[in-house]
Amino acid sequence: MATFQTLPGFREFYPEDLARRNHIFRLWRQTATTFGFSEYDAPVLEPLELYKAKSGDEIETQLFSFTDKGGRDVALRPEMTPTVCRLVGARASALKRPIKWFSIAEFYRYERMQKGRGRCFFQFNADIFGEPGPEAEIELIALLVQCLCAFGLTEQDFHVRLSDRNLWFFYLEALGLDESRARGVLSAVDKYEKLGDDAFREYSEAFGPLDPELKSKILAFLGTKSLAALEATIATLGGEKLGTRLHDWRRLLGALDAMGLARFVEVDLSVVRGLAYYTGFVFEAFDRKGELRALAGGGRYDDLVQKLGGPALPAVGFAIGDMTFALLLEQRGLMPAFVQAPDVYCVIGGEKERLAAFADIHALRAAGFRVDYPMRELAFGKQFKAAAESGAKLALIYGGDEIAKGVVKIRDLTQRTEVEVPRAQVAASVRDFMTGS
Ligand code: HAM
């Protein structure tokens, strides 16, 4: 007989898997709320056009796209950024600034599968609209760090690598490169960590070989790992744009330092981000050991809202993926074991006692207690075994004798003690047991 399997790269969540996923989502949601972000959601299926030439070549080749029954070209969303730009752009004048929004949603990319990479995955997205200065980056990098620390991760587990596409453009301009050459260089920089010198092949094909002296300056800039080194390089070039930009860097790093977060953040100009829309500061979070793919990525994208038909509106944001993040939590022993135990398990005699128990079971559930009982009539021994296996703290015993006397026996399954309480007081007694009073 044919068995149907999930499509490659797609995931199923059995209850224990979903408990882990929910745990992650719960803490992300809670953290975003403490930072004053509001939650939104949007459709999974979008017009294909939304991603064409906006997200970048790589994402475009990875789209799950098709023509719907109405002849529209559509795609499963590979990311949230174009969508959230449309939402904000459509109501920009009515929304109170700065607009601080987050979402937790599923995305689809037809990628080559590897550890921590699938074809469907969840992301926590957080974005700020309407703030042109580094204040937005300060808030978002602090949120990113806290979204990871909320689970018990520390600076020994992860770091945020911070870079700046503006600074790169100003630098390349100061070296005499025009905009299209500068873009070519940045695309090589993006691939340099993975491909080494081969990363410059596309550039050479388009513009001819890069002058060796220029290339060595670019590679030295790419290797910049501190603000002091950055200041030293820029001092040799001068120029107002570079100077003003350094001022933004100092504000950003100074604020993160004041929050006690400098230990998480590293200057690393080798990060430029593959997505096409980034315009300024860009950042990525990685595990310290460098064993996993990126945990999170983001940056400023000041032109995208307008490109998608909205007003000119500065924007910054990031997304954390759930797959690498869950792997890191497991590796560090920070993923709790989830046991879904009831508070109370009912052990019930025969048919008559069952009706009495049903009345109490429903009342206890309505009062907020987690209550379970055997679906079918079973011998007492089997029911006590089931009660112990369920992980419940209490067993309520509805035997013929108890019902005749108008009482219920409450057995504390951990202390192995038993008391009889009048039926009318079951809910109050269970509450006392559960709260330890
Ligand atoms: P991204 O770097 O493409 O950025 O994705 C962010 C994170 O999503 C990655 O660091 C990774 O953890 C996760 N991720 C991406 N692709 C996959 C995959 N195939 N399987 C598993 N996890 C994956 C963006 O998506 C931007 N839209 C982020 C952003 C928000 N920028 C501004 N606002």
Side-chain angles (χ1 to χ4, degrees), residues 79 81 109 111 116-118 121 123 125 127 273 275 277-278 294-299 301 317-321 323-324:
E79 58 158 338
T81 314
R109 295 183 194 175
E111 281 212 49
R117 281 286 177 278
F121 53 95
Q123 279 184 347
N125 273 264
D127 295 86
R273 306 273 297 141
L275 293 163
Y277 45 68
Y278 291 115
L295 293 160
Y301 50 100
F318 70 83
I320 315 175
M323 292 181 70
T324 14

Side-chain angles (χ1 to χ4, degrees), residues 399-415:
D401 292 350
E402 283 82 15
I403 299 302
K405 282 198 283 177
V407 297
V408 176
K409 227 179 245 161
I410 301 184
R411 182 181 291 184
D412 186 323
L413 292 168
T414 13
Q415 305 292 329

Side-chain angles (χ1 to χ4, degrees), residues 68 137 205-206 212 215 223 284 342 364 390:
D68 76 3
E137 279 87 344
E205 280 164 15
K215 188 167 167 187
E284 285 182 340
L364 282 167
S390 76

